[in-house]
Amino acid sequence: MTVTLIWIAVALVAIGLYLSWTAGRLDRLHARIDAARAALDAQLLRRASVAQELATAGVLDPAASIVLYQAAHAARQAEEEQREVAESELSQALRAVFGEPEQMAAVREVPGGDEAAGELAAAVRRVPMARRFHNDSVRAARALRRHRAVRWFRLAGHAPFPMAFEMDDEPPVALADRAA
């Protein structure tokens, strides 16, 4: 009888340790998602800011400036539920404006244009990396949250189900060449 109680106690302690470890892991994944989302938001804001600055610098033709400025402004001002669409539209505007290498060459020729082009290329290159890191973190948390033990014991608590950030982040050809 005593041996049975000891084995039951050992089993309960082992289960408790496993659940505690799993809950801690899930908490760390949620913290990683929060940090990755903050980094993604910072990169998206930087890309929109640099695009907006370039649109108002007078180095682009007026039509390109208007298209780029409006898309960048919409991306900066978008509400959370419209953010993915607005950021995708900024990517499309960047591809429309900088789709031809001649446009980048024209920007580089004006004073300060080479620095602005380099800054935009760096911002455009960092967005897909930040988004990939965020979505990888979300994927890991979702996989852990699908486990039965996590669901049965409600180890995720009241944390919202993590959502991936899906957007069009393909860089324009002229900026991708510049960033490489």
Side-chain angles (χ1 to χ4, degrees), residues 18-115:
Y18 172 75
L19 292 175
S20 174
W21 175 81
T22 303
R25 182 171 169 228
L26 190 58
D27 186 51
R28 287 188 302 276
L29 282 171
H30 283 137
R32 192 169 91 183
I33 289 171
D34 291 342
R37 181 58 189 243
L40 175 60
D41 287 342
Q43 292 305 323
L44 291 171
L45 180 62
R46 182 171 184 263
R47 180 181 76 151
S49 297
V50 171
Q52 210 168 16
E53 287 176 23
L54 194 57
T56 58
V59 297
L60 300 173
D61 64 86
S65 291
I66 290 171
V67 167
L68 192 57
Y69 181 83
Q70 287 178 342
H73 181 72
R76 288 182 70 175
Q77 301 298 318
E79 296 292 326
E80 190 60 36
E81 55 274 356
Q82 294 298 319
R83 185 93 186 266
E84 293 173 351
V85 173
E87 294 295 346
S88 293
E89 289 173 354
L90 176 56
S91 294
Q92 292 166 1
L94 285 166
R95 280 197 306 274
V97 171
F98 297 108
E100 300 296 324
E102 295 81 31
Q103 183 69 28
M104 253 351 262
V107 169
R108 282 192 216 113
E109 289 174 3
V110 298
D114 198 38
E115 292 83 19

Side-chain angles (χ1 to χ4, degrees), residues 147-170:
H147 290 195
R148 268 187 238 137
V150 173
R151 289 192 322 260
W152 289 349
F153 292 100
R154 299 179 188 262
L155 298 181
H158 297 289
F161 194 74
M163 300 301 291
F165 194 87
E166 297 300 332
M167 65 172 271
D168 173 7
D169 60 6
E170 183 180 335

Side-chain angles (χ1 to χ4, degrees), residues 102-162:
E102 295 81 31
Q103 183 69 28
M104 253 351 262
V107 169
R108 282 192 216 113
E109 289 174 3
V110 298
D114 198 38
E115 292 83 19
E119 194 172 340
L120 183 60
V124 165
R125 185 182 66 241
R126 287 184 181 123
V127 167
M129 290 187 293
R131 188 175 75 86
R132 194 173 315 118
F133 185 72
H134 174 266
N135 288 350
D136 287 347
S137 299
V138 167
R139 199 172 4 267
R142 282 180 169 184
L144 185 58
R145 286 181 72 153
R146 278 191 221 108
H147 290 195
R148 268 187 238 137
V150 173
R151 289 192 322 260
W152 289 349
F153 292 100
R154 299 179 188 262
L155 298 181
H158 297 289
F161 194 74

